[in-house]
Amino acid sequence: AAPSKAELARVPPAIQLPPPPISKFKIALCQLSVTADKERNIAHARKAIEEAAEKGAQLVVLPEIWNSPYSNDSFPVYAEDIDAGGDASPSSSMLSEVACSRRITIVGGSIPERSGDRLYNTCCIFGTDGKLKAKHRKIHLFDIDIPGKITFIESKTLTAGENPTIVDTEVGRIGIGICYDIRFQELAMLYGARGAHLICYPGAFNMTTGPLHWELLQRARAADNQLYVATCSPARDTSAGYTAWGHSTLVGPFGEVLATTEHDEAIVIAEIDYSLLEVRRTNLPLGKQRRGDLYQLVDVQR
């Protein structure tokens, strides 16, 4: 049979949603306070992850840049060689240890990564065996200038990643984006077409765009693609050079806010129920109604 118009809207055609390995589980979003003391940041993150695991979380998400201040001056100083591991990367070593000892999946927020002579803003995903399952390097760098409000040019120090990241874990198929990546709906559409159940975006939105766009973008990505979206921000520190908005949130496949918090340090624990994905997609069959004769999303790497 000839492909339907809906199938043609995704090139190559969308992968059918894989049956998740688990239908219901708890996710924890650890909104951490971050200081200039790296050892303290690592110990503090470990404590939060362990607390989340004790509360029954099977998936723990950390914030963007949780081991270092968020600044171009800090990135080179706090950067780690993740591929070398061990002492060369104390932050990822800690995540690996805790994932294994607690038998949980960790989406490790992001840290500055040194690879050769380049720096990246990188998220490590660890499985329940403590092994590194995937590594996402922020694809879209945060280079903006809103006069009188906020100016930040990540590309002064960081290099953009080259690959979308989707990973099969013990808690489902997860797409990864970091902060500014959430603004590019094509990336989320691509994850949806690759069969993601959930997209995790560690992010540190600022005080200018946070109130306007942070929740809006999460809900849009979730509603457009009929999947779960989880975000995790650092806690707000008004004395820092960069002030984060906070408000770590879990959004369901209908664009509904399921759990969130304010700007102080917090651990948000919520339930994900993947059976809702099928329900929402049956109620609102967008996948069968796309017009591939009029528009297409092309997954270049697939």
Side-chain angles (χ1 to χ4, degrees):
S4 71
K5 288 175 183 176
E7 283 172 325
L8 292 172
R10 299 276 190 255
V11 183
I15 293 167
Q16 216 177 345
L17 199 64
I22 186 171
S23 61
K24 271 187 189 174
F25 65 94
K26 281 183 181 165
I27 182 174
L29 314 171
C30 297
Q31 185 163 292
L32 303 171
S33 62
V34 177
T35 68
D37 181 341
K38 187 175 180 181
E39 280 184 15
R40 175 262 175 211
N41 293 337
I42 295 172
H44 190 63
R46 179 195 288 266
K47 194 165 156 257
I49 297 165
E50 291 183 331
E51 185 184 325
E54 273 159 30
K55 290 181 173 165
Q58 284 173 267
L59 171 63
V60 176
V61 186
L62 295 188
E64 180 183 29
I65 309 287
W66 56 268
N67 69 347
S68 154
Y70 186 85
S71 76
N72 278 317
D73 293 342
S74 300
F75 298 150
V77 179
Y78 289 73
E80 301 183 6
D81 184 341
I82 294 166
D83 293 342
D87 293 343
S89 186
S91 302
S92 63
S93 298
M94 179 276 286
L95 296 179
S96 165
E97 273 172 41
V98 182
C100 181
S101 67
R102 298 289 175 153
R103 312 295 299 166
I104 55 174
T105 301
I106 298 178
V107 172
S110 78
I111 64 170
E113 178 194 13
R114 186 180 299 285
S115 181
D117 56 358
R118 296 189 162 172
L119 294 177
Y120 298 93
N121 183 340
T122 301
C123 176
C124 294
I125 299 91
F126 289 93
T128 56
D129 56 2
K131 291 203 169 74
L132 180 66
K133 292 181 90 73
K135 201 169 71 165
H136 178 76
R137 290 168 166 168
K138 190 174 188 172
I139 295 175
H140 305 93
L141 295 183
F142 180 61
D143 286 5
I144 69 158
D145 182 12
I146 302 174
K149 296 280 188 187
I150 175 130
T151 301
F152 204 98
I153 310 295
E154 264 188 340
S155 63
K156 273 185 183 164
T157 54
L158 301 176
T159 300
E162 296 295 328
N163 298 293
T165 306
I166 190 157
V167 54
D168 284 309
T169 74
E170 289 82 348
V171 287
R173 184 170 290 180
I174 304 176
I176 306 289
I178 297 173
C179 202
Y180 206 53
D181 285 339
I182 199 173
R183 290 194 177 273
F184 298 87
Q185 66 271 43
E186 297 87 348
L187 181 63
M189 289 161 71
L190 191 139
Y191 288 154
R194 290 188 187 184
H197 300 108
L198 162 70
I199 305 177
C200 291
Y201 293 102
F205 264 52
N206 56 70
M207 300 298 291
T208 302
T209 59
L212 285 168
H213 298 155
W214 177 239
E215 184 184 293
L216 171 74
L217 289 165
Q218 295 170 61
R219 295 183 66 191
R221 299 296 156 261
D224 284 349
N225 299 291
Q226 299 181 304
L227 40 67
Y228 282 89
V229 167
T231 60
C232 189
S233 165
R236 190 179 306 170
D237 174 3
T238 49
S239 68
Y242 180 96
T243 309
W245 169 239
H247 296 266
S248 303
T249 301
L250 177 69
V251 179
F254 230 34
E256 72 279 38
V257 172
L258 296 171
T260 189
T261 187
E262 292 294 317
H263 58 263
D264 294 326
E265 194 163 69
I267 298 177
V268 179
I269 296 194
E271 187 175 72
I272 284 180
D273 178 356
Y274 285 142
S275 68
L276 275 181
L277 298 177
E278 252 357 289
V279 173
R280 297 311 188 199
R281 291 172 186 210
T282 305
N283 294 349
L284 206 61
L286 306 181
K288 297 185 174 73
Q289 297 167 333
R290 297 188 195 284
R291 289 287 303 269
D293 53 330
L294 300 178
Y295 48 76
Q296 294 178 333
L297 173 78
V298 180
D299 188 338
V300 176
Q301 291 179 351
R302 233 181 93 209

